[in-house]
Amino acid sequence: MTSFAQVVLTGDRPTGPLHLGHLAGSLLRRVELQHQFEQIVLVADLQALTDNAGRATEVSENVLQVLADYLAVGIDPSRTTIALQSALPALSELTMLYLNVVTVARLERNPTVKAEIELRDFARDIPAGFLCYPVSQAADITGFRGTLVPVGEDQLPMIEQSNEIVRRINRLAERDVLPESRPLLSITPRLSGADGRKASKSLKNVISLSATADEIRAFVASMYTDPEHKRASDPGKIEGNIVFAYLDAFDPRQDEVAELKLQYRRGGLGDVAVKARLVDVLEEVIAPIRERRSRIAGDRDYLSQVLRDGTSRAREITSSVLNDVRAVFALAPSPPD
Ligand code: TRP
């Protein structure tokens, strides 16, 4: 058995600015992981195009926005390699090679893709690129010999499919060319949007990481609580109560939150008071991010430089992996750029 170094690999589709759900679910985790492991973060613009071909300009404009979000929350480009997927042609070539060891039936069975197809109402008009994006994601992961992939539950089928590809390639090669990866599931459950539905920019139920104080207040005001809890004196439900879900995720004083929950359940604590607390908590979380983001977001030269540096570091790794996989398919090494 070949032993591979631990490499953390993760990515985001640049379909819009990142929001608070990303912060709790993955961004804070990455800030920690960068001190423990080699870490690569991909801005997955090609993956974003698989269901946004008509919004290419927006995707392209969001690349630097997502990068600004990363830097504002504390992902440090000297510790984390931040790279642009579309600027790494080796990943596309790997995708092409992997497609030969994946069946159409297997792609159609991927539960995440299935759910997304329904959500997007593609019916029979599924872009082939969309159906195949799990293969491209396998290229993202293996292209860096990634072994640890911090993701939410919805991404588990992607890792499973990536590992199937890894096993096929290793079997063809009769040696371990690529490592399998495993998920690092986030500890905090996925945060819902303010209305209790899936957090999504298009549903307008999320709040950006650079929200103003007024936006925070409006966001919290719109949050779904317990419809049966009409008066402060009524007993209220915590389950499905979005205000408490956000307090769980972001309030540093969890002992007080536990106390508030008891009081809310018993009756005698109004939504107005809990929401006021959440506004303060979110302001504390967002204010420093907003401030850092406003300093860097306007500096496109700096942002572009960070992305260029990260991408060129990334290119060395992906090119070497590509050559390993090309050899498995009896192809000569790729000519150098
Ligand atoms: N599919 C992921 C998402 O929608 C984004 C992503 C692209 C990714 N490439 C990746 C995640 C590689 C982990 C590893 O959130």
Side-chain angles (χ1 to χ4, degrees), residues 196-262:
R197 289 188 289 172
K198 184 178 190 280
S200 145
K201 197 180 63 104
S202 47
L203 295 175
K204 295 196 172 36
N205 60 8
V206 294
I207 187 166
S208 83
L209 293 175
S210 48
T212 63
D214 280 347
E215 286 167 342
I216 295 175
R217 269 191 295 275
F219 176 67
V220 173
S222 76
M223 274 185 178
Y224 182 95
T225 57
D226 170 6
E228 304 296 311
H229 183 245
K230 296 203 180 69
R231 276 176 303 256
S233 54
D234 292 340
K237 269 218 300 274
I238 306 295
E239 296 72 30
N241 190 318
I242 307 301
V243 181
F244 280 103
Y246 276 72
L247 284 173
D248 283 344
F250 296 110
D251 196 322
R253 293 158 295 261
Q254 285 295 315
D255 48 336
E256 290 177 24
V257 173
E259 192 56 42
L260 288 175
K261 285 182 184 169
L262 283 177

Side-chain angles (χ1 to χ4, degrees), residues 9-11 13 44 47 137 140-141 149 151 155:
L9 185 292
T10 173
R13 301 178 185 192
Q47 190 180 113
Q137 190 157 328
D140 295 345
I141 298 171
V149 188
V151 283
Q155 295 291 305

Side-chain angles (χ1 to χ4, degrees), residues 41-326:
V41 175
L42 271 183
V43 184
D45 56 344
L46 289 181
Q47 190 180 113
L49 287 176
T50 63
D51 63 340
N52 288 286
R55 294 174 52 232
T57 311
E58 237 176 295
V59 169
S60 155
E61 282 165 3
N62 275 318
V63 168
L64 291 191
Q65 295 302 317
V66 167
L67 175 63
D69 286 333
Y70 289 162
L71 302 181
V73 301
I75 295 179
D76 172 357
S78 72
R79 291 186 178 274
T80 297
T81 299
I82 306 173
L84 182 61
Q85 188 188 30
S86 64
L88 296 166
L91 297 182
S92 297
E93 234 187 288
L94 279 174
T95 305
M96 200 67 198
L97 294 172
Y98 293 165
L99 281 170
N100 300 317
V101 298
V102 178
T103 65
V104 174
R106 176 65 181 86
L107 286 166
E108 287 171 342
R109 264 201 321 271
N110 184 307
T112 302
V113 174
K114 248 175 147 165
E116 287 175 331
I117 285 172
E118 257 167 59
L119 197 73
R120 285 167 181 68
D121 244 347
F122 282 142
R124 286 191 48 78
D125 298 322
I126 306 163
F130 188 79
L131 192 64
C132 296
Y133 94 74
V135 181
S136 145
Q137 190 157 328
D140 295 345
I141 298 171
T142 57
F144 294 91
R145 299 186 186 91
T147 59
L148 301 170
V149 188
V151 283
E153 290 219 5
D154 63 311
Q155 295 291 305
L156 294 181
M158 302 297 162
I159 299 181
E160 210 177 294
Q161 189 151 20
S162 174
N163 284 337
E164 283 174 30
I165 293 172
V166 167
R167 288 192 290 268
R168 289 289 309 270
I169 298 290
N170 289 346
R171 210 172 331 126
L172 287 174
E174 297 179 350
R175 65 187 182 87
D176 289 344
V177 175
L178 301 169
E180 289 191 40
S181 59
R182 63 182 174 86
L184 288 176
L185 273 183
S186 65
I187 331 127
T188 43
R190 187 158 283 243
L191 274 176
S192 307
D195 54 1
R197 289 188 289 172
K198 184 178 190 280
S200 145
K201 197 180 63 104
S202 47
L203 295 175
K204 295 196 172 36
N205 60 8
V206 294
I207 187 166
S208 83
L209 293 175
S210 48
T212 63
D214 280 347
E215 286 167 342
I216 295 175
R217 269 191 295 275
F219 176 67
V220 173
S222 76
M223 274 185 178
Y224 182 95
T225 57
D226 170 6
E228 304 296 311
H229 183 245
K230 296 203 180 69
R231 276 176 303 256
S233 54
D234 292 340
K237 269 218 300 274
I238 306 295
E239 296 72 30
N241 190 318
I242 307 301
V243 181
F244 280 103
Y246 276 72
L247 284 173
D248 283 344
F250 296 110
D251 196 322
R253 293 158 295 261
Q254 285 295 315
D255 48 336
E256 290 177 24
V257 173
E259 192 56 42
L260 288 175
K261 285 182 184 169
L262 283 177
Q263 222 183 322
Y264 193 86
R265 279 209 176 90
R266 239 181 0 235
L269 178 61
D271 283 347
V272 175
V274 197
K275 285 189 166 181
R277 180 183 179 106
L278 181 59
V279 167
D280 291 344
V281 165
L282 293 187
E283 174 65 17
E284 254 178 75
V285 170
I286 289 182
I289 300 175
R290 182 203 298 142
E291 206 243 312
R292 250 176 287 154
R293 204 181 182 290
S294 76
R295 263 185 287 130
I296 50 180
D299 195 346
R300 293 181 75 91
D301 289 345
Y302 168 69
L303 292 173
S304 306
Q305 190 59 45
V306 167
L307 198 57
R308 257 199 310 277
D309 289 349
T311 304
S312 83
R313 236 182 304 155
R315 196 169 293 135
E316 284 177 32
I317 313 172
T318 56
S319 307
S320 116
V321 174
L322 174 62
N323 282 337
D324 289 353
V325 176
R326 283 177 67 102

